[in-house]
Amino acid sequence: MAQVVSYTVVPRLPEPLEKLRSIAMNMYWCWEPEAIELFFRIDRDLWTSTGQNPVLLLGRVSQQRLEELAHDDGYLTQLQRVAERQEEYLAANPWSERNPEAPEGFNVAYLSAEFGLHECISVYSGGLGVLAGDHLKAASDLGLPLAGLGLLYREGYHRQYLNADGWQQEQYPQNDFYNMPIRPELDSDGNQIVVGVDYPDREVKVRVWRCQVGRVPLYLLDCDFDQNEPDDRELTARLYGGDRDMRIRQEIMLGMGGVRALHACGVHPTMFHMNEGHSAFMTLERIRDVMRRDGLSWDEAIESVKTASVFTTHTPVPAGNDMFVPEMMTYYFEQYAEEVGITMEKLLALGRQNPADAREPFCMTVLALKLSSAANGVSQLHGETARAMWARTWQDVPEHETPITSITNGIHTRFWISRDLAGLFDRYIGPRWCNQPQDPSVWEAIDVIPDAELWRTHERRRERLVHFARRRLASQLEYRGAPNSEIQGAAEALDPEALTIGFARRFATYKRANLILMDPDRFRRILTNSEQPVQFIIAGKAHPQDNQGKEVIRRLIHFIREYDVRSHMVFIEDYDINVARYMVQGVDCWLNTPRRPLEASGTSGMKVSANGGLNISIPDGWWCEAEFLGENGWSIGRGETYEDPNEQDVVESEALYEIFEQEAAPAFYDCGRDGVPRQWVRRMKDAIRTIAPVFNTHRMVQEYTDRFYVPHTMRRNELRADGRKRCCALAKWKRRVYDAWDSVAIGEVKADRTQNLEFGAELNVSAQVTLDGLTPDDILVEVYYGDLDAHDRITQGRTAKMCCVSDAGKGKKFTYEGAIPCEKTGRQGFMVRVIPSHPDLANKHETRLITWA
C-alpha cells in the first residue's frame, strides 16, 4: 500500500477573532454561559450539528461568516469580555491563597477510566464519568493543584438507536481528536510525548493528549497510532468494550501507563486518587518505581506507595468490580513479579479478600483497598454497603469498623443550572451562588425571588425541554423510516404545561425502569387524566451485552407506542450530557427507582433539585441524606427490605402510583388566579435551599481535600523524610508483627459483678495477654462492648482501651485492665481483643490483624 503522509489543518481566523481559538481549547467555556453564546452566535445550526464542539465549529464555519464577525463591533466586544474573564479566572489561585500552610509540593493526580466533561468529548458512558468531569471542574474553580488522567477512546462509548421493535442497537462513530478541544502534549523538543508500557513479549506505545479544564490539565492516553501492532491499537478503541482480556490490558494501560505518562509530562503527584478500581494497577507501577529508584524492599515500597494513595469505590453491584482469574493475572504479571522479587502468590494475595484461597480471583477493588491509606463510598448509605461488601478483606474486624468511610457525591452547580435560572440567581442572590455554592447562607436568599418569576422561568425551561423532545422524537422516527403521519405526529407529543417527570439512567435491571409498568392500566389512567395529566420523558442506554436491560427498554417502547399513551410519553434515544442538561433543567420531577441499596449515590436528582425540580425516589444513595432536609420531594417507601423482590416491586409501585395521584399531581395543578401553584413553588424553593449547598462538587472536592488529600500528603511527607526512615521502619515493624502474630493469645478474662449494675457506674475488666516476639508497645488491647441482639451478638460495638498493669510472665504474659462505662440500661455484652498498634498506621485496622478472646 502506498504511504500516506499525514498533516493537520487549523481554521484561519481573522486577527480580531484570534482569541476564539484559546477560548475553544479550554473547557472553561462549557460552564461560562457567555462563552457558549459566543460560539452559538457564529452559526446556531452549525453549533447544534457539530455537537456543540467549538473546535469543530471553527473548522467548518465559512470564511465569509468569520470575516463578517471580525467587523461586528458587538460581537468583538463580547469576545473581548469573555477573553478577559477567562484570563482573570486562569490567573487566580484561590486555594493556595487560602491555604498558605499547604504541604510542600502538594499535587494530586485523579485517575479515572472515563471523564464526562461535555458531550463534544465522548470518552464517558454515564454517572462515573460525569462525576469525574465535575470533580475536575470544581478542582479548577477551587484552584486545587490537581491533574486528571484517563484514556482517549477512538470510538468512546456506543451511540444508541432503537430498531422498529424497540430493541437497542449500537453504533461506534470515531472521535476525531484533531477536531476536539484537546491537543497533543509536547516534550521540550516539540514532539508529542510517547511512553512505553510493558506487556508480555512486547512493549506497547501510548501517546499523551491534553484537555485543559480551566486550571486543571486532563491527560488522555491513546494507543491508536502506527508504532503499535493492530491488536494493541485497539486498546483505546472503546470504553467498556471487548472481553476480560481487553479489560485487563486497558487497566494496565490506565494504571501503569498513567503513572509513566504523568512523570513524562513532568507531573509528580504527592497523592494519587483512584476513582473506582479500574486504575488500581498504578500502585504496582509505583512500587516498582520506588524499588528501582530508591532501592527499597517490596514491603518498604508498599508502605511508601500506600501513604500516597486514596481510593473511591462507586458500585455496590459485584459485577461492577473487575475481577481476573489467577491464570490471566499470571500471564500479564509473571514477569513483573520476577522483576520485583516476589512470587505470583504474594502478588495475587494483594487482590484477594482471603489471601489463602488460591481459587479466589484477583479483584481490582481489593487491590485498591489494600494499597490505599484511605477509602470511601460515595454516600452515607453506600459507605455502609461498601463496609459490608468488603468486610472479609479485614477478617474478624466488626463490619462497622471496616476502614471505608463515605464522602457523598455532588454536582458542578454552574455547569448544570440552566442559563435562565442562573440569570435569576444573579439578580436576586448575587454571584456567590456559583463561586461559593457550598455556603448555605448563599441559598437562604432564595425566598427573595418572587414566586411568579421563579415559576415562569421554570415554565420556559419545561417548554424548551418539550420542544427538544419533539425534535428528537421526529428525527428518531425519520431515521427508523416511520410513516410521515407518525413523524408529523411528533410535533404534538407532550404538553408544555403538563406535569413532566423525567427518568434517565443506565438501563441496568436493578434500576427498575419498568416499575411504572407494574399496573399498566392504573399507570395509563394517571397519564391520561383529563384534569391532572402526567407525562414522562425517558432516556438511557443499556450496556451492549446486557440483554435484560435491552428488554426493559423494549417493553417501555411497546407501551409508549400504544395509541392513548404516545402523546404522554417519549423515549429520547442516545442519552448523553446534552440530553441530560435539557432534562434536568426542564422536568418538574425526577424519578429514581433502584432496588435499595444498589444505587451507590446518583447525581441526576441533585441536578434537578438545583434547577428547582423535585425528586420522587426510593430512599437510596444520596436521597437518604436529602429527603429529611425539607419538603424537596417524595420518598417511595421508607427503605424497607423484602425477601421476595417481586413483592417489593408490587408494594413500591403501588406507593409510587399513590405519590403521582395523591401528592404530586394535586400539588402541581393547585394554582391561584395568577396561574402560579404556590405550594409547588414553595417545594421548589425548599429543594434549592436544602440541596444546592450540600450536594455540589465544591463541597465534595473540599471534603476530599480536607479529609484525604492534605492530611495524607502531610503523613506521606513525614514518613518519607530522612530517606524514608519512618516508612522503612514501619515496613520492618509490620513484618515483625505479621511473623509473631500467631503467638498472640488472650487468656483468662475477668469482670466485676455483671448483674444489676447501676447506670453511670463502671464495669472493671481484666485480661491476660500472651505475646512472643512483640511488646505491649506493639499492640492495643481493647474491651469491645455494646447491645446484644437475639443471637447474643454485639451490634454497633464501642471500645474502651485497656492498659498494661503488670508483667505476669518474663516478658511474655501481661495483665491488662480497663473499664466499661455503663451509659445505657438493658442487656449488654463485651469482648476483649488485641490489634497491632503503631503511631504511623493510617488507621487502626490497616494491618488486618485482630485476635479476640
Side-chain angles (χ1 to χ4, degrees):
M1 182 180 293
Q3 180 180 3
V4 176
V5 178
S6 66
Y7 60 96
T8 58
V9 179
V10 297
R12 180 168 62 85
L13 296 178
E15 194 277 331
L17 301 181
E18 188 58 38
K19 290 181 180 178
L20 278 173
R21 198 187 309 275
S22 61
I23 294 172
M25 292 302 292
N26 190 315
M27 294 303 296
Y28 170 75
W29 63 261
C30 75
W31 69 92
E32 173 51 62
E34 196 169 13
I36 296 173
E37 187 178 331
L38 271 180
F39 300 114
F40 183 83
R41 286 181 63 183
I42 292 175
D43 188 318
R44 174 178 179 173
D45 294 336
L46 192 57
W47 176 241
T48 302
S49 66
T50 57
Q52 302 189 42
N53 179 344
V55 177
L56 187 56
L57 170 76
L58 294 177
R60 289 189 177 178
V61 68
S62 70
Q63 201 64 41
Q64 179 183 352
R65 177 57 179 156
L66 292 175
E67 294 295 341
E68 290 174 1
L69 292 170
H71 294 86
D72 184 331
D73 290 340
Y75 187 83
L76 294 178
T77 299
Q78 185 179 22
L79 172 58
Q80 181 64 25
R81 187 165 58 245
V82 171
E84 289 175 355
R85 190 175 300 162
Q86 177 177 285
E87 290 169 5
E88 180 182 340
Y89 174 87
L90 297 178
N93 197 2
W95 191 87
S96 61
E97 292 172 6
R98 293 198 311 271
N99 298 271
E101 303 301 321
E104 183 180 354
F106 178 62
N107 187 20
V108 180
Y110 183 86
L111 286 76
S112 180
E114 51 175 303
F115 285 90
L117 295 163
H118 187 268
E119 61 268 26
C120 71
I121 302 181
S122 182
V123 292
Y124 67 95
S125 70
L128 177 69
V130 171
L131 185 278
D134 281 9
H135 194 111
L136 299 194
K137 293 168 189 166
S140 172
D141 288 345
L142 293 168
L144 188 70
L146 180 144
L149 190 286
L151 299 180
L152 184 59
Y153 305 98
R154 183 181 69 237
E155 297 174 355
Y157 200 56
H158 71 269
R159 305 294 300 271
Q160 176 201 53
Y161 70 98
L162 305 181
N163 67 14
D165 189 43
W167 191 259
Q168 174 180 293
Q169 308 289 305
E170 295 88 30
Q171 294 176 326
Y172 294 89
Q174 294 194 6
N175 284 320
D176 180 0
F177 302 154
Y178 294 95
N179 274 313
M180 292 165 61
I182 63 175
R183 58 175 175 79
E185 183 68 3
L186 307 179
D187 60 22
S188 57
D189 296 324
N191 301 313
Q192 185 167 11
I193 292 175
V194 176
V195 297
V197 180
D198 301 319
Y199 287 83
D201 304 321
R202 68 196 187 282
E203 181 184 62
V204 178
K205 298 292 186 180
V206 58
R207 57 187 180 182
V208 185
W209 299 73
R210 179 181 183 130
C211 175
Q212 193 64 36
V213 186
R215 303 172 211 162
V216 169
L218 168 59
Y219 299 101
L220 298 167
L221 309 184
D222 162 35
C223 297
D224 186 23
F225 58 107
D226 292 341
Q227 291 186 42
N228 290 323
E229 295 296 321
D231 187 50
D232 292 329
R233 294 180 66 160
E234 294 300 305
L235 268 172
T236 52
R238 293 180 181 177
L239 172 60
Y240 306 141
D243 55 14
R244 302 308 298 171
D245 183 69
M246 176 58 73
R247 179 63 65 88
I248 193 172
R249 290 164 59 202
Q250 285 186 326
E251 294 185 353
I252 289 171
M253 181 58 66
L254 174 63
M256 307 182 88
V259 172
R260 296 187 180 189
L262 286 171
H263 292 168
C265 295
V267 179
H268 301 283
T270 59
M271 189 58 55
F272 287 80
H273 185 170
M274 294 171 277
N275 187 45
E276 197 55 282
H278 306 116
S279 60
F281 285 139
M282 70 91 180
T283 57
L284 301 184
E285 178 66 18
R286 290 165 54 216
I287 288 171
R288 177 165 55 186
D289 272 357
V290 296
M291 290 180 72
R292 283 175 177 171
R293 186 179 65 246
D294 301 322
L296 302 186
S297 69
W298 170 259
D299 291 337
E300 292 168 342
I302 282 181
E303 295 308 319
S304 178
V305 165
K306 283 181 66 172
T307 62
S309 303
V310 295
F311 169 56
T312 298
T313 178
H314 284 263
T315 175
V317 182
N321 296 272
D322 287 335
M323 299 186 185
F324 304 111
V325 296
E327 294 79 9
M328 181 175 286
M329 283 295 298
T330 299
Y331 175 73
Y332 281 103
F333 284 92
E334 189 172 36
Q335 183 178 343
Y336 173 91
E338 182 179 340
E339 184 179 346
V340 297
I342 62 169
T343 64
M344 271 305 302
E345 280 306 309
K346 193 168 186 177
L347 180 62
L348 290 170
L350 286 175
R352 289 172 170 160
Q353 293 197 74
N354 180 5
D357 184 359
R359 297 170 300 174
E360 184 179 335
F362 185 95
C363 178
M364 297 295 283
T365 301
V366 174
L367 174 65
L369 288 170
K370 288 186 176 181
L371 293 183
S372 294
S373 56
N376 70 286
V378 289
S379 68
Q380 291 177 11
L381 178 60
H382 180 232
E384 297 174 13
T385 304
R387 287 190 286 275
M389 189 172 182
W390 303 109
R392 285 197 308 117
T393 307
W394 292 267
Q395 196 69 34
D396 295 328
V397 172
E399 184 179 293
H400 72 278
E401 290 190 355
T402 300
I404 302 175
T405 183
S406 63
I407 294 179
T408 303
N409 283 345
I411 64 165
H412 188 262
T413 308
R414 194 176 184 191
F415 179 83
W416 289 104
I417 282 184
S418 74
R419 186 169 186 187
D420 303 80
L421 195 58
L424 205 60
F425 289 167
D426 285 341
R427 289 199 302 277
Y428 289 99
I429 297 179
R432 289 177 63 215
W433 74 267
C434 58
N435 299 328
Q436 298 174 281
Q438 72 276 30
D439 185 348
S441 67
V442 170
W443 301 99
E444 289 300 325
I446 194 71
D447 287 327
V448 175
I449 301 176
D451 287 358
E453 197 166 353
L454 178 61
W455 180 246
R456 302 303 179 211
T457 300
H458 176 67
E459 284 192 307
R460 285 197 299 274
R461 291 309 311 181
R462 187 193 320 116
E463 185 174 0
R464 289 177 186 171
L465 169 61
V466 167
H467 289 317
F468 172 77
R470 288 171 174 173
R471 292 195 305 270
R472 287 292 290 259
L473 178 60
S475 64
Q476 291 167 194
L477 293 170
E478 186 175 358
Y479 185 82
R480 281 203 299 268
N484 285 336
S485 59
E486 192 173 349
I487 297 172
Q488 293 169 0
E492 299 179 1
L494 306 177
D495 179 352
E497 297 182 355
L499 172 58
T500 304
I501 296 175
F503 180 97
R505 55 199 14 91
R506 181 167 55 90
F507 267 73
T509 51
Y510 76 86
K511 293 181 182 285
R512 297 191 299 175
N514 55 351
L515 196 66
I516 55 178
L517 300 183
M518 292 298 296
D519 186 341
D521 292 334
R522 184 176 180 182
F523 184 54
R524 186 180 289 104
R525 290 195 298 273
I526 292 171
L527 294 173
T528 58
N529 185 312
S530 59
E531 295 183 359
Q532 296 180 346
V534 179
Q535 61 191 13
F536 279 74
I537 299 177
I538 301 174
K541 300 176 180 178
H543 188 279
Q545 298 172 8
D546 183 6
N547 287 332
Q548 289 182 309
K550 292 181 180 182
E551 177 59 27
V552 173
I553 295 176
R554 192 186 72 85
R555 281 191 58 201
L556 275 170
I557 295 301
H558 280 231
F559 180 81
I560 290 171
R561 288 177 181 172
E562 294 182 14
Y563 179 76
D564 55 345
V565 171
R566 65 179 60 175
S567 63
H568 300 276
M569 290 185 75
V570 167
F571 185 95
I572 299 179
E573 298 175 13
D574 199 30
Y575 184 47
D576 65 0
I577 289 177
N578 184 44
V579 175
R581 265 200 316 273
Y582 271 98
M583 290 186 68
V584 301
Q585 293 173 2
V587 299
D588 300 296
C589 290
W590 194 256
L591 179 62
N592 189 30
T593 54
R595 192 179 303 283
R596 178 185 164 109
L598 300 182
E599 180 87 311
S601 176
T603 58
S604 296
M606 303 174 190
K607 298 159 190 165
V608 172
S609 293
N611 280 283
L614 307 182
N615 277 268
I616 302 175
S617 179
I618 295 290
D620 199 6
W622 78 283
W623 184 243
C624 295
E625 300 164 47
E627 61 173 326
F628 299 111
L629 297 177
E631 291 188 279
N632 46 32
W634 294 272
S635 288
I636 307 167
R638 304 307 322 161
E640 301 88 352
T641 57
Y642 300 79
E643 292 186 5
D644 182 357
N646 294 321
E647 178 188 2
Q648 181 175 355
D649 290 349
V650 171
V651 171
E652 291 179 343
S653 66
E654 292 288 329
L656 178 58
Y657 296 144
E658 287 288 328
I659 291 172
F660 291 154
E661 295 169 333
Q662 306 300 325
E663 300 281 347
F668 180 86
Y669 288 103
D670 182 17
C671 298
R673 285 185 294 180
D674 58 355
V676 177
R678 301 290 173 180
Q679 180 185 350
W680 190 274
V681 174
R682 177 174 55 80
R683 283 181 173 269
M684 289 175 63
K685 289 183 175 181
D686 222 23
I688 296 170
R689 181 192 303 106
T690 60
I691 291 175
V694 180
F695 301 96
N696 62 77
T697 44
H698 281 63
R699 185 273 311 158
M700 181 192 80
V701 172
Q702 191 65 56
E703 194 171 347
Y704 275 113
T705 303
D706 294 341
R707 293 176 56 188
F708 283 9
Y709 299 161
V710 169
H712 288 282
T713 293
M714 294 173 68
R715 176 173 176 267
R716 164 200 179 269
N717 292 349
E718 291 169 358
L719 293 182
R720 292 190 177 198
D722 298 327
R724 290 189 169 87
K725 182 178 178 180
R726 284 172 58 182
C727 191
C728 293
L730 180 60
K732 184 178 180 181
W733 174 85
K734 280 189 178 181
R735 178 46 51 205
R736 181 165 60 85
V737 170
Y738 288 133
D739 291 342
W741 196 255
D742 287 344
S743 68
V744 175
I746 303 174
E748 184 180 16
V749 176
K750 296 180 180 180
D752 294 343
R753 64 187 180 92
T754 57
Q755 298 299 318
N756 300 319
L757 291 164
E758 293 184 355
F759 179 85
E762 287 187 338
L763 173 62
N764 295 312
V765 179
S766 66
Q768 300 296 318
V769 177
T770 299
L771 304 175
D772 189 1
L774 300 177
T775 72
D777 290 338
D778 296 321
I779 63 169
L780 174 64
V781 181
E782 294 178 322
V783 58
Y784 180 82
Y785 66 96
D787 297 338
L788 292 177
D789 65 13
H791 302 285
D792 285 341
R793 292 177 301 210
I794 296 174
T795 59
Q796 295 295 314
R798 288 158 288 169
T799 61
K801 183 179 178 180
M802 300 181 71
C803 298
C804 183
V805 296
S806 67
D807 182 345
K810 297 180 181 180
K812 291 189 178 181
K813 290 187 178 181
F814 303 87
T815 300
Y816 279 79
E817 292 181 353
I820 300 173
C822 297
E823 302 167 323
K824 293 184 65 177
T825 59
R827 188 165 172 264
Q828 314 278 304
F830 77 87
M831 302 167 70
V832 174
R833 69 186 187 184
V834 180
I835 58 177
S837 177
H838 191 283
D840 286 336
L841 290 177
N843 62 75
K844 68 192 300 181
H845 293 302
E846 181 181 339
T847 63
R848 299 186 298 281
L849 297 174
I850 189 168
T851 295
W852 294 88

